[in-house]
Amino acid sequence: MLGLKLPTDPRWVNIVEKNIEEILTDHAYCEQKATSTAISLIVSFPEYTDLVQEMVALVKEEISHFKMVHDLIIENGWILGRDRKDDYVLRLITFFPKGGSRTTQLVHRLLYAALIEARSCERFRLLSEELEDKSLAEFYRKLMVSEANHYTMFLGFARQYGDRTEVDKKWNDLLEYEAQIMQDLSKKETIHG
């Protein structure tokens, strides 16, 4: 369903289980960045009323996810660590050339967002199936459903605002590029890397 060309190596969960505090900190910042992305789309493209409406709802959902993860951190007696670079996202967003029409820029941002959500969904599925901590596994199962909805929403908007044939080609090319990136990742206790 997600279209990812290279699945995450299931052994990634073993890395995560050795440092749950680290994955939760990284996850919290992923939720915060997703909130920021939705706000940025509102600010950058206010004329797309249906997009703005969905992004307002997304801001509320993503910040509630941040709170849920932050609450887990507190419940475990930890504190939220500092934000760190997301190598996955930094590499991913170099795929499309800068510039172009406003519509092209919007489509590219929507495709990036769709892919980030798709990879998060795939990672959350792995965590929900493989984590020994069943409570945490259930937490990730619930979030997996949200990520799947976000992925389809962003991809749907890209197809709505851009030429469908062109958008689908860009999407497939981006999926191929992402698979190359993923060959070097899955070695750290981070949501994407």
Side-chain angles (χ1 to χ4, degrees):
M1 174 192 113
L2 299 171
L4 299 173
K5 304 291 185 183
L6 182 66
T8 297
D9 184 331
R11 293 176 294 182
W12 169 76
V13 177
N14 299 332
I15 296 168
V16 168
E17 286 195 303
K18 291 177 183 167
N19 197 346
I20 297 295
E21 182 178 3
E22 185 65 22
I23 192 77
L24 289 176
T25 291
D26 186 68
H27 181 183
Y29 283 109
C30 287
E31 298 294 354
Q32 187 184 68
K33 290 168 188 168
T35 304
S36 297
T37 294
I39 292 169
S40 175
L41 286 167
I42 293 168
V43 171
S44 299
F45 303 98
E47 68 273 26
Y48 293 89
T49 303
D50 50 348
L51 177 68
V52 169
Q53 290 290 92
E54 287 297 322
M55 292 303 101
V56 169
L58 187 62
V59 166
K60 292 176 182 177
E61 185 178 353
E62 297 288 21
I63 204 67
S64 75
H65 291 172
F66 172 83
K67 180 167 178 11
M68 290 165 57
V69 178
H70 190 244
D71 287 348
L72 270 178
I73 291 168
I74 294 168
E75 286 169 22
N76 282 284
W78 302 320
I79 59 169
L80 180 63
R82 296 187 62 89
D83 189 14
R84 67 289 319 260
K85 293 179 191 172
D86 188 331
D87 293 332
Y88 170 83
V89 172
L90 291 173
R91 290 172 66 182
L92 187 69
I93 63 172
T94 65
F95 182 72
F96 294 121
K98 300 280 185 216
S101 70
R102 280 180 55 73
T103 302
T104 298
Q105 291 173 41
L106 173 59
V107 165
H108 291 172
R109 287 178 65 181
L110 292 168
L111 290 176
Y112 286 141
L115 187 48
I116 291 166
E117 296 285 353
R119 182 56 72 182
S120 297
C121 179
E122 187 248 6
R123 290 283 176 97
F124 290 176
R125 180 192 58 77
L126 263 178
L127 293 171
S128 74
E129 293 172 354
E130 303 294 332
L131 282 173
E132 289 183 22
D133 180 334
K134 294 308 168 199
S135 173
L136 194 56
E138 178 61 17
F139 174 76
Y140 278 109
R141 189 194 66 72
K142 289 176 183 171
L143 289 180
M144 172 190 71
V145 175
S146 292
E147 302 302 294
N149 291 334
H150 301 163
Y151 146 71
T152 57
M153 176 192 61
F154 281 121
L155 186 56
F157 275 130
R159 288 172 170 159
Q160 176 182 335
Y161 298 137
D163 173 76
R164 175 66 187 259
T165 304
E166 185 179 316
V167 168
D168 285 348
K169 171 148 184 15
K170 287 181 177 189
W171 175 244
N172 192 58
D173 292 346
L174 183 60
L175 286 168
E176 294 289 344
Y177 178 70
E178 194 257 5
Q180 294 170 15
I181 291 172
M182 289 305 295
Q183 289 176 2
D184 298 332
L185 299 175
S186 302
K187 298 175 177 88
K188 298 193 299 190
E189 59 282 281
T190 58
I191 295 298
H192 301 116

